[in-house]
Amino acid sequence: MKQYEYMAKEHLSRQGIKIPPGRVADTPEEARNAVAEIGPAALKAQVLVGGRGKAGGIKFASTPDEAARVAESILGMDLKGFRVDRLYVEGKLDIDQELYVSVTTDRNAKAPLVMASAQGGMEIEELADEFIVRRHVNPRVGVMPYFGKEIAEALGLTASLGREFADLLGRLYQLYRNLDAELVEINPLAVVGGHLVAADARLNVDDSALYRHPDLDTVEEGSALEQKVRALGLAYVELEGDIAVMANGAGMAMATLDAIQYYGGKPANFLDAGGGASVGPTASALGVLVDMHPKAIFINIFGGITRCDDVAQAILQVRQRQGIPVPLVVRLVGTHEKEGVALLQSDGIAAFSEMSAAAQRVVELAGEGR
Amino acid sequence: MKQYEYMAKEHLSRQGIKIPPGRVADTPEEARNAVAEIGPAALKAQVLVGGRGKAGGIKFASTPDEAARVAESILGMDLKGFRVDRLYVEGKLDIDQELYVSVTTDRNAKAPLVMASAQGGMEIEELADEFIVRRHVNPRVGVMPYFGKEIAEALGLTASLGREFADLLGRLYQLYRNLDAELVEINPLAVVGGHLVAADARLNVDDSALYRHPDLDTVEEGSALEQKVRALGLAYVELEGDIAVMANGAGMAMATLDAIQYYGGKPANFLDAGGGASVGPTASALGVLVDMHPKAIFINIFGGITRCDDVAQAILQVRQRQGIPVPLVVRLVGTHEKEGVALLQSDGIAAFSEMSAAAQRVVELAGEGR
Amino acid sequence: MAILLRGEDRIIVQGITGNQGRFHTRQMLDYGAQVVGGTSPGKAGQTVEGIPVFNTVRQAVQATAATASIVFAPAPFAKDAAFEALENGIRLLVLIPEHIAVQDSIDIVARAQDLGAVVIGPNTFGLITPGQRTKMGIMPNHIYRPGKIGVVARSGTLSYEIAFSLSNAGLGQSTVVGMGGDPVVGQTFISVLKAFHDDPETEGVVMVGEIGGSAEEEAAEYIQTLHIPVVAYLAGRSAPPGKRMGHAGAIIERGRGTLESKERALSAAGVRVVTMPWEVAPAMQDLLGP
Amino acid sequence: MAILLRGEDRIIVQGITGNQGRFHTRQMLDYGAQVVGGTSPGKAGQTVEGIPVFNTVRQAVQATAATASIVFAPAPFAKDAAFEALENGIRLLVLIPEHIAVQDSIDIVARAQDLGAVVIGPNTFGLITPGQRTKMGIMPNHIYRPGKIGVVARSGTLSYEIAFSLSNAGLGQSTVVGMGGDPVVGQTFISVLKAFHDDPETEGVVMVGEIGGSAEEEAAEYIQTLHIPVVAYLAGRSAPPGKRMGHAGAIIERGRGTLESKERALSAAGVRVVTMPWEVAPAMQDLLGP
């Protein structure tokens, strides 16, 4: 779960990392008051996209009146598909140098990774490799002062700034660990009057660890429909096409989308019904697909833990309850395959056993394909 | 540094371990008020000795008036050489079972050690080995719930009490780590209505780590003189005899006491002047010895880091400043030995080079020995 | 032979009295696995499917001499269960739960490395060695056949699909290993490929990967040093960048971990890369020759 | 030969620009030790006694290929210094500071074990190998002579006393090791005795122990398996129970760690136990024979 900049900064500050003075503003009036209080400031759109600045999501105001005008212009605007509902009004900094620092998890190394650069301000992907210092953290050891000093040394910081950087990196790592962060990033990490200040911040928290952080502000991502399906406990992503898809297992669901595309079709969604889902949840998930009004529906099941007859039951339930007014292709093999196929047949549905044939057929029925 | 029971309990409570209701009382009136507030209670002398109960340092009171009377009788009493200045008035518990649990450091294993017993209430040394469960904590892992459950299992606790014990042990270990404890002990750990309550507690904090705990209540141990010498940064212990001793290095100082005793003398103190102490501190230490009015003084120096001429200078300073009115024996070898011996000779003091001869001589001069 | 799991391995089930634990204990026993005990706090003395239940792993290991464990604990308790197993001498640990906090997985994997233990998962279907009638996992029993093809996969159902198609094509499996779908898991493609390479009975390996991360790219470098036919199928060809696809593993961000980069690296390393699951078995038949 | 420290060891000094670091760098160089570098944050480019100073151990190791380090940091910073050394490849680490928090020492010692590194101290005078003209420590240079007696001690000055008396009696030393006076230190009597036992040049060992703890008792069990003459002197015969005597190590509490129990155990193991420091050299001469 991503956190807005102002939330991320609040966490940094609680961890003892210096941030500029700032206020949240949801209206031009609040922006005016904020600037009246803290002086010349940057008004920053609180949206979960990178490159806000270039897209016009960050503007400056020297006076309260200017702040209100600028806020008026940013609030409500569309920033790369996200509506701006909130601003963070932050005191302007007199920056000598911009650094970059982040802690994230390196899946391959199975360890935390610190990245730092003396060329901050840019997105890290846009930085050439030679400007980035990468050091894995040994999780048995954590980030001790010497480790931060080694990185500071590699960045070419002075001894006193190096000590401050080492202290900050220790705190940043503590935040990463204590808050179960996937990523905590300060960019730019500004050098202001010989001291380090977090001028912008990103914080993504591990969804699997949210149960440990009940006090964390909840930030919903995705469309209303995505949020609704996820609330059922299912992994769901909206896509551009018209063939609705349900499969069991994330890898299987991805392979199913690939197969549709392979035959020239366009999938409407990714839906992992999970391994071993029972009749009820499977029916709910299918109901959502029907409500999407796709051109066709493809159900691709390899029954392992999932029982084919449970899936067949779910299909029949949805047919009875709300009807399935679009072509439906079902591929059903594995555990209790016979019973499932028989059930579907009793309702006039012919199940495929080959994934390739089934994918080809649903693309045809949707009127797409080569 | 040891903490009084009431301090230890405060720490346990902050760590989420259940303690009985309690109040500190320095006067009979405060004891009366405490019992008025919390009901029938135990009045416990706050002194740093074991076996308070047997020595009459713990008594019960059912009413406020009784509390005042009992407090009157305990306050000011001498408990194994310690004056009772403070009581801890603690709500009486209806105890079903008494357990024992502690976390301490095992020097040989270089790791924390958990000891637990289903036979709590007694001093751990009085418990037979077969009643004590001993398990080292791997410092790389710490105390996780499974570890506590394994110990609970060995103690024969029920599943629900076992879970509570495992939770408590995790907290106790956190306290041990976070507070740099040498020992944290709950004895008895009372089972009250199916739950665990810390009925008595001990907490000793590592002196070397006190700088990390500036908020910790300071508890002074030892005589006024011991405290005064320790304030000079020197290791000092008062003993029973009449031969004052100064040596450099703890092992050397101990060996010096042994040598005095070997020749039939009785050392008055242990004083480690430290390795490499300069003239000033060495003179201060010697000054303290003179003030003790011993029968004789023995200075035993093997100059490694410590320079023999610095020691000689210190001796001359003290002689000039305050005089040394008792027999003085100096043994001086090692770094700058020649210079040191010459300096002493210039002031009429003959230095020994053999420790045995010197020890024998000082015992003679003190009029002791075989 | 086979890799990691053999018929003689003595297995315990942590969380044996839960629904999942109970069901899969039955399935493992039916397959022929030597399940010798299970744990569930406060349930010592009971039996599940004839298998004795203990309160702690310590007791279970003492009583059964088990060296392998499969964990069915809920995610918040998985770290404790994993450490309980590792600290009590378990050296093959299968972690079924999904949604284990990543920091917990990091700690588990690091500790297992220190102790020389093998962790499969978390968020895995487990592993199965058909030729020795043993498995630790939740995969369906009937789709595997004994044979000489090693399979290593990130994803469960997709690996079933491919194992089943191999079986149907007469290509039995030496061992099928589920690495797990979580961001941090105990194995890498490299560690499993190495084990297959060292196994004289494995004659070809199927890699089932997916978008996200760079495990496949790193494996490619290693494969160049191997002398064993490898077929790779990677899911996620159609996935748009920046979208999470169920598996935390399956996310493409910032232009890394794309299907193209993975396929390019694997092809360059001599791997036969196929684009659809049903192409795996024919490709392997082709590589192995008549 | 010798144990733990040899002439070819390349040594850095952490905290080389402080008073202590500077003084003992000079002493070590005078003795013949290969001090190749030192560290002090922000002082890179300077030299101390002709030795180059680096900001970090990482840089020092890269530039000098050092594998040994002696630490002079103040106690609160010793853990960081120790980990800096260990994580950067140092495999012989001498920790001079006293009063390091015990929890820090526990962490340092555990990490060194994991990495296969040798920690001497904390609160040690270090170690010296006279026959190879090398030392890492703060002991006076002039009291040692090359020879065949190994010395292992908890306490500094007392060990000087005994080493000097050995030298004066014509009994030179192979290596003299200071285990350190803190409650938790890197070595045990057993680990050092084992090293002496495995060293073909060491023909006898002197143990200098003291009251408190049970390291001597545990060593006694081990010594029974050795075939090497051992003389032990233990300080603290006159110490009253329950009093701390400077060394955190020297405390007798609750009837354990008494001098009597130590001497009994050592004598039973065949160790020649003497009661005064000046009896050590004659006893060793007696054991070794003419």
Side-chain angles (χ1 to χ4, degrees):
Chain A
M1 185 175 73
K2 293 177 178 171
Q3 295 273 286
Y4 290 112
E5 176 196 5
Y6 73 93
M7 297 172 177
K9 285 203 167 140
E10 168 71 22
H11 287 290
L12 290 177
S13 178
R14 269 190 235 159
Q15 195 71 36
I17 293 173
K18 217 169 140 186
I19 59 169
R23 302 284 181 277
V24 165
D26 293 346
T27 63
E29 197 48 36
E30 286 176 9
R32 179 199 305 274
N33 294 341
V35 168
E37 210 177 332
I38 62 180
L43 279 64
K44 302 158 100 176
Q46 296 299 291
V47 285
L48 297 175
V49 293
R52 282 176 306 175
K54 284 185 198 155
I58 301 180
K59 289 186 174 150
F60 293 91
S62 301
T63 64
D65 285 352
E66 193 185 352
R69 277 197 307 279
V70 169
E72 187 82 51
S73 77
I74 306 180
L75 282 166
M77 80 183 274
D78 180 280
L79 214 66
K80 298 187 177 180
F82 291 84
R83 204 184 118 91
V84 180
D85 288 325
R86 175 164 285 182
L87 297 176
Y88 188 53
V89 182
E90 189 175 68
K92 229 180 144 178
L93 296 174
D94 195 6
I95 297 177
D96 300 322
Q97 191 189 353
E98 294 189 332
L99 311 174
Y100 171 96
V101 64
S102 67
V103 185
T104 180
T105 305
D106 181 339
R107 295 161 183 199
N108 295 319
K110 302 166 193 321
L113 175 68
V114 169
M115 291 195 281
S117 175
Q119 317 273 323
M122 289 204 276
E123 298 270 315
I124 189 76
E125 310 80 60
E126 293 165 17
L127 267 173
D129 262 357
E130 69 258 36
F131 296 122
I132 304 174
V133 178
R134 290 169 204 269
R135 289 284 304 274
H136 285 107
V137 178
N138 186 329
R140 300 161 189 83
V141 174
V143 169
M144 292 175 67
Y146 80 85
F147 185 83
K149 283 177 199 156
E150 287 175 359
I151 294 176
E153 189 69 23
L155 297 179
L157 304 185
T158 62
S160 76
L161 209 54
R163 269 192 301 275
E164 202 169 310
F165 180 86
D167 177 74
L168 179 141
L169 187 61
R171 294 171 191 275
L172 203 64
Y173 180 74
Q174 278 311 312
L175 189 63
Y176 161 86
R177 278 291 291 195
N178 297 346
L179 213 61
D180 284 291
E182 284 177 339
L183 167 72
V184 53
E185 181 183 83
I186 304 179
N187 185 26
L189 174 61
V191 180
V192 178
H195 295 284
L196 298 172
V197 182
D200 196 359
R202 245 190 232 186
L203 173 63
N204 302 354
V205 177
D206 178 5
D207 289 334
S208 298
L210 289 178
Y211 72 94
R212 296 205 270 235
H213 308 289
D215 298 340
L216 211 61
D217 291 309
T218 303
V219 178
E220 298 285 3
E221 267 189 275
S223 69
L225 183 60
E226 284 178 340
Q227 291 182 27
K228 179 181 155 191
V229 185
R230 282 182 204 147
L232 293 172
L234 304 171
Y236 182 85
V237 179
E238 271 179 7
L239 301 171
E240 307 281 296
D242 296 305
I243 301 175
V245 177
M246 176 165 79
N248 60 329
M252 189 67 162
M254 267 193 286
T256 306
L257 305 188
D258 294 350
I260 289 172
Q261 206 179 51
Y262 181 78
Y263 288 113
K266 283 187 182 143
N269 70 291
F270 167 96
L271 174 58
D272 171 11
S278 54
V279 178
T282 308
S284 305
L286 180 53
V288 170
L289 296 191
V290 173
D291 287 344
M292 288 166 59
H293 307 297
K295 286 190 189 163
I297 296 177
F298 184 19
I299 300 177
N300 184 18
I301 301 297
F302 192 100
I305 311 309
T306 305
R307 283 168 46 171
C308 290
D309 52 345
D310 282 351
V311 175
Q313 290 281 12
I315 293 170
L316 299 192
Q317 269 191 18
V318 174
R319 265 202 152 185
Q320 279 184 355
R321 219 187 300 157
Q322 60 184 126
I324 301 182
V326 295
L328 171 72
V329 174
V330 183
R331 185 265 184 146
L332 206 58
V333 291
T335 309
H336 290 212
E337 175 179 334
K338 257 186 227 166
E339 293 85 337
V341 170
L343 264 170
L344 289 182
Q345 222 145 19
S346 73
D347 211 38
I349 304 172
F352 284 77
S353 65
E354 292 296 324
M355 178 170 163
S356 53
Q360 203 165 4
R361 180 67 183 140
V362 77
V363 172
E364 280 170 24
L365 288 172
E368 296 176 346
R370 295 175 274 209
Chain B
M1 185 175 72
K2 291 178 180 172
Q3 295 273 285
Y4 290 111
E5 176 195 6
Y6 74 93
M7 297 171 177
K9 284 204 168 138
E10 169 71 23
H11 287 290
L12 290 178
S13 177
R14 269 190 234 157
Q15 195 72 34
I17 293 173
K18 218 169 141 188
I19 59 170
R23 302 283 181 279
V24 165
D26 293 345
T27 63
E29 198 46 38
E30 285 176 10
R32 180 200 305 277
N33 294 341
V35 168
E37 210 177 330
I38 61 181
L43 278 66
K44 303 158 100 175
Q46 298 299 290
V47 285
L48 296 175
V49 292
R52 284 177 304 175
K54 283 185 200 156
I58 301 180
K59 290 187 175 148
F60 294 90
S62 300
T63 64
D65 284 352
E66 193 184 354
R69 279 196 307 276
V70 169
E72 188 83 50
S73 75
I74 307 180
L75 281 167
M77 79 184 275
D78 179 278
L79 215 66
K80 299 185 175 182
F82 291 85
R83 202 184 118 92
V84 180
D85 288 324
R86 177 165 283 182
L87 298 174
Y88 188 52
V89 182
E90 189 175 68
K92 227 181 144 180
L93 294 175
D94 194 5
I95 296 178
D96 300 322
Q97 191 187 354
E98 293 189 334
L99 310 174
Y100 171 96
V101 65
S102 68
V103 185
T104 181
T105 304
D106 181 339
R107 294 160 184 200
N108 294 319
K110 303 164 192 323
L113 174 68
V114 170
M115 291 196 279
S117 175
Q119 317 273 323
M122 289 202 277
E123 296 272 314
I124 189 76
E125 310 80 60
E126 295 166 15
L127 265 174
D129 263 356
E130 69 257 38
F131 296 122
I132 305 174
V133 179
R134 288 167 204 270
R135 288 284 304 276
H136 285 107
V137 178
N138 186 329
R140 301 160 188 84
V141 173
V143 169
M144 292 176 68
Y146 80 86
F147 185 82
K149 283 177 199 158
E150 287 175 359
I151 293 177
E153 189 68 23
L155 296 179
L157 303 184
T158 61
S160 76
L161 209 54
R163 269 192 301 275
E164 204 169 308
F165 181 86
D167 177 73
L168 179 142
L169 187 62
R171 293 171 191 275
L172 202 63
Y173 180 74
Q174 278 311 312
L175 189 62
Y176 162 86
R177 279 289 294 194
N178 297 346
L179 212 60
D180 283 292
E182 284 176 340
L183 167 72
V184 53
E185 180 183 84
I186 305 178
N187 185 27
L189 173 62
V191 181
V192 178
H195 294 285
L196 297 172
V197 182
D200 196 359
R202 245 190 231 185
L203 173 64
N204 302 355
V205 177
D206 177 5
D207 290 334
S208 298
L210 288 178
Y211 72 92
R212 294 206 270 235
H213 309 287
D215 298 341
L216 211 59
D217 292 309
T218 302
V219 178
E220 298 286 3
E221 265 187 279
S223 69
L225 182 62
E226 284 179 341
Q227 292 181 27
K228 179 182 157 194
V229 185
R230 283 185 202 142
L232 294 172
L234 304 171
Y236 183 84
V237 179
E238 270 179 10
L239 301 171
E240 308 281 298
D242 296 305
I243 301 174
V245 178
M246 176 165 79
N248 61 328
M252 190 67 162
M254 266 192 287
T256 306
L257 305 189
D258 294 350
I260 289 173
Q261 205 179 51
Y262 180 79
Y263 288 111
K266 283 188 182 144
N269 70 290
F270 167 97
L271 173 59
D272 171 10
S278 54
V279 179
T282 306
S284 306
L286 181 52
V288 169
L289 295 191
V290 173
D291 287 344
M292 286 166 58
H293 306 297
K295 287 190 188 161
I297 296 177
F298 184 19
I299 300 178
N300 184 16
I301 300 296
F302 193 101
I305 310 312
T306 305
R307 285 169 43 171
C308 291
D309 52 346
D310 282 352
V311 174
Q313 290 280 14
I315 293 170
L316 301 192
Q317 269 192 16
V318 173
R319 266 199 151 188
Q320 281 185 353
R321 218 185 303 156
Q322 61 185 123
I324 302 183
V326 296
L328 171 72
V329 174
V330 183
R331 185 264 185 146
L332 205 57
V333 292
T335 309
H336 290 213
E337 176 180 333
K338 258 186 228 164
E339 294 85 338
V341 170
L343 264 170
L344 290 182
Q345 224 145 20
S346 73
D347 210 38
I349 304 172
F352 284 76
S353 66
E354 291 296 323
M355 177 171 164
S356 52
Q360 205 165 2
R361 180 70 181 137
V362 78
V363 173
E364 281 170 24
L365 288 172
E368 297 178 345
R370 297 176 272 208
Chain C
M1 288 283 286
I3 69 163
L4 303 173
L5 175 65
R6 308 221 156 69
E8 64 267 26
D9 281 314
R10 299 171 66 78
I11 302 160
I12 58 171
V13 178
Q14 285 177 257
I16 196 170
T17 59
N19 282 339
Q20 256 206 316
R22 201 175 280 272
F23 176 78
H24 290 294
T25 297
R26 179 75 265 155
Q27 297 294 310
M28 287 190 277
L29 288 170
D30 285 349
Y31 196 67
Q34 269 204 70
V35 180
V36 295
T39 65
S40 185
K43 304 269 173 74
Q46 300 185 8
T47 62
V48 167
E49 304 288 347
I51 303 299
V53 179
F54 302 89
N55 285 343
T56 63
V57 171
R58 193 174 175 83
Q59 293 168 320
V61 166
Q62 277 166 0
T64 68
T67 56
S69 178
I70 177 167
V71 172
F72 286 103
F77 305 103
K79 179 178 173 182
D80 189 50
F83 272 75
E84 179 175 9
L86 293 170
E87 300 303 318
N88 279 295
I90 294 298
R91 288 301 168 259
L92 174 58
L93 182 64
V94 176
L95 297 173
I96 301 298
E98 56 179 345
H99 302 315
I100 293 182
V102 172
Q103 296 304 320
D104 287 358
S105 295
I106 288 174
D107 291 343
I108 294 168
V109 170
R111 187 66 191 147
Q113 280 173 357
D114 289 348
L115 293 170
V118 171
V119 171
I120 306 293
N123 191 8
T124 179
F125 60 90
L127 76 176
I128 183 167
T129 296
Q132 302 183 18
R133 306 298 306 164
T134 189
K135 73 168 202 174
M136 295 175 73
I138 59 172
M139 65 290 281
N141 290 351
H142 67 278
I143 59 175
Y144 303 95
R145 297 287 174 275
K148 305 188 164 182
I149 306 301
V151 180
V152 52
R154 285 211 214 169
S155 165
T157 323
L158 185 54
S159 84
Y160 306 162
E161 175 89 31
I162 284 167
F164 194 48
S165 72
L166 289 170
S167 292
N168 288 340
L171 294 167
Q173 302 90 42
S174 55
T175 301
V176 178
V177 180
M179 296 209 302
D182 274 5
V184 169
V185 294
Q187 301 303 305
T188 59
F189 277 119
I190 292 177
S191 62
V192 180
L193 282 164
K194 191 169 163 54
F196 278 130
H197 180 252
D198 294 344
D199 172 32
E201 270 187 16
T202 298
E203 296 183 354
V205 178
V206 174
M207 274 176 71
V208 185
E210 60 191 38
I211 51 168
S214 59
E216 289 83 359
E217 285 91 331
E218 295 192 7
E221 267 189 56
Y222 174 72
I223 291 171
Q224 289 179 318
T225 68
L226 298 183
H227 305 283
I228 189 168
V230 179
V231 173
Y233 164 69
L234 310 179
R237 182 171 302 277
S238 59
K243 293 270 189 180
R244 267 165 208 266
M245 294 291 192
H247 274 186
I251 180 169
I252 322 182
E253 271 185 329
R254 312 178 186 181
R256 290 191 298 145
T258 61
L259 201 85
E260 291 67 35
S261 81
K262 290 174 191 299
E263 289 191 345
R264 201 180 315 117
L266 289 169
S267 294
V271 171
R272 177 78 67 94
V273 179
V274 299
T275 52
M276 287 293 131
W278 53 84
E279 295 167 354
V280 169
M284 183 55 82
Q285 277 172 321
D286 186 39
L287 281 182
L288 292 178
Chain D
M1 288 284 285
I3 70 164
L4 302 172
L5 175 64
R6 310 220 155 68
E8 65 265 28
D9 281 314
R10 299 171 67 79
I11 302 161
I12 58 170
V13 178
Q14 285 176 256
I16 195 169
T17 59
N19 281 340
Q20 257 206 316
R22 201 175 281 271
F23 176 78
H24 290 293
T25 296
R26 179 74 265 154
Q27 297 296 311
M28 287 189 277
L29 288 169
D30 285 350
Y31 196 68
Q34 269 205 69
V35 180
V36 296
T39 66
S40 184
K43 305 267 173 74
Q46 299 185 9
T47 61
V48 167
E49 304 289 347
I51 303 298
V53 180
F54 302 89
N55 285 342
T56 63
V57 171
R58 192 176 175 83
Q59 292 167 320
V61 167
Q62 277 166 1
T64 67
T67 56
S69 178
I70 177 166
V71 172
F72 286 101
F77 305 104
K79 179 178 173 181
D80 190 49
F83 272 75
E84 179 175 10
L86 292 170
E87 301 303 318
N88 280 295
I90 295 297
R91 288 299 167 262
L92 173 58
L93 182 65
V94 177
L95 298 174
I96 300 299
E98 57 179 344
H99 302 315
I100 292 181
V102 172
Q103 296 304 320
D104 288 357
S105 295
I106 288 175
D107 291 344
I108 293 167
V109 171
R111 186 66 189 148
Q113 281 173 355
D114 290 348
L115 293 170
V118 171
V119 171
I120 306 292
N123 190 9
T124 179
F125 60 89
L127 76 177
I128 183 165
T129 296
Q132 302 184 18
R133 306 299 304 164
T134 188
K135 73 167 202 175
M136 295 175 73
I138 59 174
M139 65 290 283
N141 290 351
H142 67 279
I143 60 175
Y144 303 94
R145 295 290 174 274
K148 304 190 166 180
I149 306 301
V151 180
V152 52
R154 285 210 213 169
S155 165
T157 324
L158 185 54
S159 83
Y160 307 162
E161 175 89 32
I162 285 169
F164 194 46
S165 70
L166 288 170
S167 293
N168 289 340
L171 294 166
Q173 303 90 42
S174 55
T175 301
V176 178
V177 180
M179 296 208 302
D182 274 5
V184 170
V185 294
Q187 300 304 304
T188 59
F189 278 119
I190 294 179
S191 62
V192 180
L193 281 165
K194 191 171 163 55
F196 277 131
H197 180 254
D198 295 344
D199 172 31
E201 271 187 17
T202 298
E203 295 182 356
V205 179
V206 174
M207 272 176 71
V208 185
E210 60 191 38
I211 50 167
S214 59
E216 290 81 0
E217 286 91 331
E218 295 192 6
E221 268 190 54
Y222 174 72
I223 290 171
Q224 290 181 317
T225 68
L226 297 183
H227 305 283
I228 188 167
V230 179
V231 173
Y233 165 69
L234 310 180
R237 183 171 302 278
S238 59
K243 293 268 188 182
R244 269 163 209 267
M245 294 291 190
H247 274 188
I251 179 170
I252 323 181
E253 271 185 328
R254 312 180 187 180
R256 289 192 297 145
T258 62
L259 200 84
E260 292 67 36
S261 81
K262 290 174 192 299
E263 289 192 344
R264 202 180 315 119
L266 289 169
S267 294
V271 171
R272 177 78 66 97
V273 178
V274 300
T275 52
M276 287 293 130
W278 53 84
E279 296 167 354
V280 168
M284 182 56 82
Q285 277 172 321
D286 186 39
L287 280 182
L288 292 177

